[in-house]
Amino acid sequence: MRTLGVLAFLAVALVVSAAAGILIGAVAIGPGDVLAALFGSNDVSGTIIRELRLPRVLGAALVGGSLATAGALLQGLLRNPLADPFVTGTSAGATLAAVAAIVLGLAAPLVPLAAFAGALVTVTLVWRLARLGGGTTVLTVLLAGVVLTSFAGAVVTFLLVSSDRLALQLRAVLGWLQGGVSVISWPELGVAAIVVALGLIFALVLAHRVDAYAFGEETAATLGVDPDRTTTAVLGATALLSGAAVALAGLVGFVGLVIPHALRFVIGATHRRLVPASFLAGAAALVLADLGARTVIAPAELPIGAITGLIGAPFFLALLVRSRRIVV
Amino acid sequence: MTTLAATAVTAAYSARVVLRECSFGMSSGEVVAIVGPNGAGKSTLLRVLAGLLLPTAGSVALDGVDLATFSRATLARRIAVVPQIFDTLFPFTVREVVALGRTARLGPFGRAAPDDVAAVDRAIDDLDLRALASRRIDRLSGGERQRAVLAMALAQEADVLLLDEPTVHLDPGHQLATLELIRELATRRQLAVCAVLHDLNLASAFGSRIVAIADGRIVREGTPIDVLDAELVQAVFGEGLEVVARDGHPGVFPRVPKMVSRP
């Protein structure tokens, strides 16, 4: 009952934030205009809503939802509350692959696929490194993330400087690296929505098996989970979700870390509840963060990654201090 | 009646051979204690019995069927393992931890059937955890957490229960209570129980049979009085130990030095 209550509350919060995200902005728009726009009115506010605000809000929701869900899965799999696509370097790997795809001149719909592949390679690498660390994976995962992120960053810089194709759109790529949902087109949204839906379904199906990892992979096996298959599937779902998020918005940090962690205190650690709650809360949080990003210093815009970083980094630090007391 | 039998099991971690041609069996209602010095291969034997490590030669059979032919999910319904690690950074409640025992039987999307709820309730009652059921496991004492994890294994409703050093983090009072409980459960639920025990006296008091391992080989197997005699204890565990039998149970004590020389 309590779970349903929390989920209902989060769903309402998401709808309210989305409404705020559509209504509030540089040009004032009334609810009537929104309805008119949805039914195809062609005046200025209709265009603003259909081509700017709506894709932007939906994009932010998809990005936040998938990052938070991926974070919940990763934390459960690695038994580590300090894991998410950003700190493990998974997002950086996806970014590298996406930038490489642009440099190679691949068609736009292939960019999310490249991001997925990059995320999959990186998250698998992180998982293997964490396994070397045995039972205590917290620091190993963080160190692996630092190394992979700086490596991917170095290669991206190299590509940016050396590629003519990228130099032409340097500003767009830089904005993307800082995390942004300002320029999202409908076709991009469509592809991402399919990938996210796939990842979310995987996550929901796998959730109760992720619970079994609470006392480690071997105990998961004795509880009846095939560890190789389940781990591969969870890593795959994580890569789908973080790949889609990166393809839409580039590097957006800490959403995947903060949201599942905070939710555990409200609805508990069971992933069957944590996964859907993380998706809803992550989506609402990023819609609000984006609203903040374009209103706090209006008419200028902050990259959304700056907002999540401002809030997320101190939170992360506090968590690190707390978890150091228990296990490293 | 369930039997779990190892036949000439040899097991290795990559090239390092840890178990050599170990054979022994256990059946419902028994509590078998595995004893041996550090690094003798006790935990490895338990991992082989659980199907977590496949033998390089020989086989382990559950009711005559080779463990290697079972899927993890099928095995989880027959063999439950109490892990040695039971700390988590996540706020699972005791009930949620016990419910993990049902993982292999849950429906799609982790839906629990009435059977699952009943098994969890029964395990919680058996381990007297009702008052703690909604408490967070990461806030319990070591003994309470041990009980929760034991209940998780019971909720699997398996026929075989394997335990790796179930008393290692407990004080003597809780060690005794835990082993009494395990023994009582073995009788009541007709479980075949096998536990790795470091403490020879606890093994002597609670094992209906003892398997002694040294250097990866089973050196002797039988009732406590047959296995734990002075000859074996001194050969396997060290010259400085003495065996004193009391009420038909051997007890092992350090030999008290007559003269302590101090530099």
Side-chain angles (χ1 to χ4, degrees):
Chain A
M1 270 304 88
R2 184 185 157 85
T3 310
L4 283 181
V6 172
L7 289 179
F9 172 80
L10 290 174
V12 171
L14 175 56
V15 171
V16 171
S17 340
I22 293 170
L23 294 173
I24 302 173
V27 179
I29 287 173
D33 298 327
V34 176
L35 284 178
L38 291 180
F39 291 104
S41 97
N42 277 326
D43 57 3
V44 178
S45 56
T47 310
I48 291 179
I49 289 167
R50 276 200 312 276
E51 300 307 320
L52 293 173
R53 299 251 177 104
L54 201 54
R56 180 170 191 154
V57 164
L58 290 177
L62 280 179
V63 169
S66 35
L67 287 177
T69 309
L73 290 178
L74 267 180
Q75 292 174 11
L77 185 72
L78 298 168
R79 311 176 54 208
N80 177 355
L82 290 178
D84 89 336
F86 184 69
V87 296
T88 56
T90 306
S91 296
T95 305
L96 169 56
V99 170
I102 298 172
V103 170
L104 293 173
L106 295 184
L110 291 178
V111 172
L113 283 183
F116 161 68
L120 188 61
V121 169
T122 324
V123 79
T124 309
L125 216 68
V126 169
W127 175 70
R128 286 192 177 276
L129 286 169
R131 249 187 151 190
L132 291 181
T136 56
T137 64
V138 174
L139 275 191
T140 322
V141 168
L142 292 187
L143 291 176
V146 169
V147 171
L148 292 171
T149 303
S150 42
F151 179 76
V155 180
V156 167
T157 307
F158 176 81
L159 291 174
L160 279 181
V161 173
S162 60
S163 158
D164 294 342
R165 205 190 308 271
L166 281 183
L168 288 177
Q169 31 178 316
L170 192 60
R171 266 193 71 86
V173 174
L174 280 180
W176 192 53
L177 288 180
Q178 291 164 334
V181 287
S182 51
V183 277
I184 293 179
S185 67
W186 281 106
E188 264 184 285
L189 262 184
V191 174
I194 292 169
V195 177
V196 170
L198 209 62
L200 188 61
I201 290 170
F202 260 111
L204 290 169
V205 170
L206 292 166
H208 72 279
R209 298 201 183 91
V210 176
D211 287 344
Y213 281 72
F215 303 113
E217 208 182 314
E218 194 154 289
T219 298
T222 66
L223 289 170
V225 170
D226 183 323
D228 293 337
R229 260 175 42 196
T230 305
T231 304
T232 309
V234 172
L235 292 177
T238 311
L240 283 174
L241 292 163
S242 22
V246 165
L248 279 181
L251 280 178
V252 177
F254 300 111
V255 186
L257 188 99
V258 175
I259 298 290
H261 197 89
L263 282 173
R264 276 197 198 91
F265 292 103
V266 184
I267 56 163
T270 305
H271 289 85
R272 208 152 60 94
R273 300 199 289 265
L274 191 61
V275 161
S278 293
F279 188 86
L280 293 173
L286 212 64
V287 170
L288 289 178
D290 178 51
L291 186 58
R294 59 195 156 93
T295 48
V296 279
I297 53 164
E301 263 191 32
L302 276 171
I304 197 168
I307 300 271
T308 61
L310 273 176
I311 301 169
F315 186 93
F316 175 78
L317 215 65
L319 265 183
L320 184 63
V321 172
R322 248 172 54 98
S323 77
R324 282 289 305 229
R325 280 192 220 125
I326 310 167
V327 59
V328 174
Chain B
M1 182 62 121
T2 299
T3 58
L4 184 64
T7 312
V9 163
T10 298
Y13 294 113
S14 52
R16 196 166 57 91
V17 177
V18 185
L19 287 179
R20 289 167 207 278
E21 297 182 9
C22 292
S23 299
F24 86 101
M26 51 196 271
S27 48
S28 306
E30 269 193 307
V31 178
V32 178
I34 301 178
V35 301
N38 292 334
K42 303 185 294 290
S43 296
T44 306
L45 180 55
L46 208 69
R47 294 187 71 227
V48 170
L49 291 175
L52 289 169
L53 181 67
L54 288 180
T56 49
S59 66
V60 181
L62 180 66
D63 289 337
V65 183
D66 194 328
L67 280 197
T69 63
F70 288 90
S71 72
R72 282 296 355 157
T74 319
L75 217 47
R77 294 159 176 249
R78 304 295 310 278
I79 301 178
V81 181
V82 177
Q84 213 178 5
I85 303 170
F86 45 82
D87 54 338
T88 170
L89 290 168
F90 298 135
F92 285 102
T93 65
V94 169
R95 171 168 271 281
E96 286 166 349
V97 167
V98 178
L100 290 181
R102 305 301 292 177
T103 303
R105 302 180 192 242
L106 293 176
F109 297 96
R111 266 174 51 88
D115 276 5
D116 299 313
V117 179
V120 169
D121 281 335
R122 200 155 77 99
I124 284 176
D125 285 340
D126 273 356
L127 287 168
D128 202 14
L129 286 166
R130 197 145 285 272
L132 299 177
S134 52
R135 292 266 301 276
R136 282 172 53 172
I137 184 128
D138 54 334
R139 296 212 173 134
L140 299 183
S141 72
E144 290 166 337
R145 250 184 301 164
Q146 170 82 67
R147 259 158 61 209
V149 173
L150 194 54
M152 172 183 94
L154 282 187
Q156 282 178 250
E157 295 190 317
D159 312 300
V160 179
L161 182 64
L162 304 176
L163 307 101
D164 194 359
E165 309 256 12
T167 56
V168 75
H169 300 299
L170 304 178
D171 60 57
H174 280 100
Q175 290 184 345
L176 210 65
T178 303
L179 287 173
E180 267 171 6
L181 189 75
I182 289 169
R183 187 155 182 164
E184 193 253 328
L185 287 168
T187 314
R188 181 145 50 97
R189 292 196 173 200
Q190 278 300 297
L191 300 171
V193 178
C194 182
V196 168
L197 289 174
H198 239 27
D199 187 318
L200 296 177
N201 292 324
L202 290 175
S204 163
F206 289 98
S208 43
R209 258 184 325 132
I210 291 184
V211 173
I213 314 189
D215 286 331
R217 290 179 195 281
I218 293 181
V219 287
R220 204 184 289 176
E221 186 205 333
T223 60
I225 200 87
D226 290 336
V227 174
L228 294 176
D229 61 18
E231 180 208 346
L232 177 126
V233 167
Q234 284 168 5
V236 171
F237 293 94
E239 291 294 330
L241 295 169
E242 241 170 13
V243 177
V244 180
R246 210 191 57 193
D247 302 338
H249 283 286
V252 179
F253 302 94
R255 192 172 284 149
V256 180
K258 294 279 187 296
M259 289 242 295
V260 182
S261 61
R262 294 197 170 86

